Amino acid sequence: MLNLPAFKVAAVQAAPVFLDTQATIDKACALIQEAAGNGAKLVAFPEVFVAGYPYWNWIMTPVEGSPWFDKLCRSAIEIPGPEIHRVAQAAKQHGVHVVIGVNERSKTGIGTLYNTLVFIGPDGKLLGRHRKLIPTWAEKLTWANGDGASLRVYDTNIGKLGGLACGENTNTLARFSLLAQGELLHVASYISLPVAPPDYDMSEAIKVRAMAHSFEGKVYTVVSCSTISQEIIDAFTPTIPNAAQMLKRKNSAFSGVIGPDGRVVGEPLIDKEGIVYAEVDLGKCIQPRQMHDIVGHYNRFDIFDLRVNRRTQQSASFSDTSESPSLDYDDESSGNHSTDNLGNALK
């Protein structure tokens, strides 16, 4: 018999402690504790919450923003690593699933960053990560492209869980690739974007995209968006005197939960910092699919054929022996450092 769970979710709408990794991790752990204390089984955090978004790409020239890129690289984290381990331990301590956005630094390229979503189980184990496939617009000055290896849905005890970062929630094929894996619960992480064109309502655009995914896929979407703190504005003001004017625009952030009928569940948050809670019942994902199940009976797979390359892309592939040769002498204690001994060690 099919048993689908019902539970409470939490969508965090907050600003990081800008480019301060440890302080932001502290804040994330405190928010996990708060949300879990209020009964949440899933806590969703904004895009690159650890530890900040590159707003300088929008309000400075690339040359002016270069010192900020250096700061971002230094504050970025590796996965796995001690910073995300602390978040995982908080998830385990409070028994919740966590999805959190981070700036991920490449282990082999200190100037290569990814916009990454990290999925963590209630046992504190990393379920996986998703690297944003294509940075949006000015973001291309900061982040590298992700690959299809992270287009995955995780089978958890609260249902099949997937997620995408910000603009890629507009990418129909990326969204479909998750739905095709049975996704029932989708996390959409965003940042507040007050520097959008004047006629662009960011909060409404976020909501519309979430509604589209939920209505098309008959799934729940948990939207978590960051806010812009006064600290962030103050950081840019010495270089950009009108930073406050550029970064305080209203209707720039939306966090909330969308049901499988495409409607908002409960009350969302617009612009203000806080946590949105909503009750989710995955059983409600069934009936709407009688009308439209786009990954099942309401499609024509004899006509449409989507192929997804999930091979990990690497900068180099090395063919090597199983063990690296030792460069030590055969017998250092003997004091015999002959060429023959060194030669034998390299064989």
Side-chain angles (χ1 to χ4, degrees):
M1 182 168 175
L2 179 62
N3 291 307
L4 296 172
F7 50 93
K8 183 183 286 188
V9 298
V12 172
Q13 182 157 287
V17 182
F18 194 52
L19 301 185
D20 187 331
T21 306
Q22 296 305 324
T24 300
I25 294 293
D26 289 342
K27 184 172 183 176
C29 292
L31 288 166
I32 290 170
Q33 180 179 10
E34 179 182 345
N38 286 318
K41 296 300 180 184
L42 168 71
V43 186
F45 283 89
E47 181 180 22
V48 292
F49 187 70
V50 183
Y53 180 82
Y55 285 107
W56 54 88
N57 288 347
W58 300 88
I59 63 176
M60 299 180 188
T61 67
V63 174
E64 290 171 335
S66 187
W68 289 98
F69 176 77
D70 183 277
K71 294 176 189 289
L72 189 65
C73 287
R74 294 176 186 273
S75 68
I77 68 173
E78 294 183 4
I79 301 170
E83 299 88 358
I84 204 67
H85 179 68
R86 286 187 56 204
V87 177
Q89 288 302 104
K92 180 178 181 179
Q93 179 182 353
H94 300 289
V96 296
H97 299 74
V98 172
V99 181
I100 187 167
V102 305
N103 285 286
E104 180 192 1
R105 185 178 56 248
S106 168
K107 291 181 182 295
T108 56
I110 58 174
T112 295
L113 303 180
Y114 298 98
N115 179 331
T116 299
L117 280 179
V118 183
F119 295 79
I120 303 169
D123 56 359
K125 293 183 179 179
L126 300 189
L127 300 173
R129 67 182 168 197
H130 170 68
R131 291 171 170 173
K132 190 172 184 178
L133 297 177
I134 304 228
T136 307
W137 204 347
E139 295 171 357
K140 293 179 175 67
L141 290 168
T142 294
W143 295 311
N145 289 343
D147 59 33
S150 63
L151 282 173
R152 299 183 183 275
V153 167
Y154 304 99
D155 197 357
T156 76
N157 59 22
I158 57 169
K160 292 191 174 182
L161 172 66
L164 295 171
C166 201
E168 57 183 3
N169 287 285
T170 311
N171 188 322
T172 304
L173 299 185
R175 294 191 295 105
F176 187 87
S177 72
L178 299 182
L179 295 173
Q181 297 173 65
E183 182 186 54
L184 292 175
L185 188 61
H186 180 82
V187 171
S189 68
Y190 283 87
I191 47 89
S192 176
L193 192 64
V195 291
D199 59 348
Y200 191 80
D201 187 323
M202 182 65 177
S203 64
E204 187 67 17
I206 292 172
K207 183 174 71 171
V208 165
R209 278 179 278 196
M211 287 176 164
H213 186 65
S214 283
F215 184 80
E216 291 173 4
K218 315 308 179 193
V219 300
Y220 281 90
T221 297
V222 183
V223 181
S224 175
C225 186
S226 63
T227 59
I228 296 181
S229 63
Q230 187 61 45
E231 175 198 22
I232 294 173
I233 294 171
D234 290 344
F236 294 130
T237 300
T239 306
I240 307 296
N242 63 336
Q245 179 183 347
M246 300 176 74
L247 296 175
K248 280 191 172 181
R249 178 176 164 188
K250 300 296 184 182
N251 295 322
S252 295
F254 172 97
S255 293
V257 178
I258 311 298
D261 58 359
R263 293 186 291 183
V264 177
V265 180
E267 292 295 325
L269 266 181
I270 307 295
D271 294 334
K272 296 180 181 179
E273 188 159 314
I275 303 178
V276 176
Y277 297 96
E279 296 292 337
V280 163
D281 180 358
L282 295 186
K284 293 183 178 180
C285 296
I286 297 176
Q287 192 279 329
R289 296 180 187 221
Q290 185 177 14
M291 295 175 286
H292 313 118
D293 188 346
I294 63 173
V295 297
H297 64 78
Y298 201 71
N299 215 320
R300 287 289 302 275
F301 300 114
D302 56 330
I303 300 173
F304 304 112
D305 182 11
L306 174 62
R307 302 186 183 195
V308 181
N309 177 9
R310 293 207 306 192
R311 290 188 294 269
T312 301
Q313 304 301 302
Q314 298 177 332
S315 56
S317 179
F318 296 92
S319 298
D320 210 337
T321 57
S322 58
E323 295 182 2
S324 299
S326 171
L327 297 181
D328 290 336
Y329 292 109
D330 286 337
D331 185 5
E332 291 186 342
S333 62
S334 68
N336 185 354
H337 295 172
S338 68
T339 303
D340 287 344
N341 282 345
L342 180 58
N344 289 336
L346 291 173
K347 288 181 181 178

